[in-house]
Amino acid sequence: MVDSILDCATLPNGVKIPWLGFGVFKIPPGQETQAAVQEALEAGYRSFDTASFYANEEDVGKVLRACRIPRKELFITTKVWNSDQGFDSTLKAFDESMGKLDLDYIDLFLIHWPVAGRYKDTWVALEKLYEQGLVNAIGVSNFLVAHLEDVLDGCQVNPMVNQVEFHPRLLQPELLEFCKNHDIKLEAWSPLMSGRALSEATITRIAEAHGKTAAQVVLRWDLQHGVVTIPKSVHRERMEENAAIFDFELTLEEMSDIDALDRGQRVGPDPATFDF
Ligand code: NDP
């Protein structure tokens, strides 16, 4: 049982990643990102998920550098964007992200999307950054089973994380199973379905039974599936609400009731058809 916001999952190389992190996609750069990251730190979050595409790495880095929390207690993820993929361009993009974050190292560096014809060269660049000790862990995002099989075929270092859209309307059981079998930690983006998963009757019934909110039930469901989760909110009370998921447990029946809401329904692009 995961029972604290400081609890971590262990990646195959021994690196610890907090089960609950804070996503900053769509938070405007500047004061708004800085305020959100500061409040999330105060609410207890230690893991922050950004990307070069979010245009707010500078703000995330600024607040994390200024906070008094030791660097080793923080966990920072960023990602290489689609137009930067390829070996040399990924190394360059990594330098740019490092410059913006202005941190000594990145905890987790991800390929943002599986750009056809380029993600394998991109992966080799990530392996190099890992071997150089500039990143503690490397992984991918939005990879389907076929993409993962392709990377696993001949790579030097296996992807340690696959960050994908994951919520009660999009369970992707085959992908979840594949990742478990290959020791790739699944991480849920848009875990709350961008807020849309929260009025579902099954979830509100379970929430009432536990004296919890629908968001808390959905995030707890992630953890009990062994899935790392990174909800986003710019509201302090929601940051705290989303972090209060360590004092209750869903029954097996409740887990299956939520699993049964799966419709293969996405809020973001489908990696199989996404126009990169
Ligand atoms: P989420 O599922 O986290 O939902 C965020 C939305 O839900 C916001 O509108 C927020 O509103 C609202 N919300 C948050 N908490 C609550 C609550 N307790 N009750 C009601 N509403 C709530 O979606 P995101 O798309 O933001 O995904 C989370 C993170 O995942 C991103 O920030 C990013 O880091 C990552 N991501 C990665 C992608 C990838 O391709 N790798 C793609 C998309 C996201 P408000 O802020 O107003 O409180």
Side-chain angles (χ1 to χ4, degrees), residues 61-81:
K62 185 173 180 187
V63 176
L64 297 183
R65 280 196 316 280
C67 77
R68 287 158 188 249
I69 297 158
R71 174 67 184 89
K72 64 177 178 4
E73 292 176 24
L74 298 169
F75 191 98
I76 295 111
T77 301
T78 193
K79 315 180 190 91
V80 54
W81 184 241

Side-chain angles (χ1 to χ4, degrees), residues 23 25 49 141-142 163 190 192 194 232-235 238 242:
F25 183 33
D49 181 84
S141 177
N142 299 303
Q163 183 186 109
S190 290
L192 304 173
S194 298
K232 166 261 174 189
S233 176
V234 293
H235 296 100
R238 286 179 174 170
N242 296 345

Side-chain angles (χ1 to χ4, degrees), residues 52 57-58 61 65 71 76 78 91-107 109 129 133-135:
S52 59
E57 287 170 308
E58 252 164 331
R65 280 196 316 280
R71 174 67 184 89
I76 295 111
T78 193
L91 295 180
K92 185 164 169 279
F94 177 79
D95 282 347
E96 282 168 12
S97 284
M98 282 293 271
K100 287 182 180 154
L101 285 161
D102 198 9
L103 300 165
D104 291 341
Y105 63 90
I106 305 280
D107 294 272
F109 194 48
L129 295 167
L134 297 169
V135 290

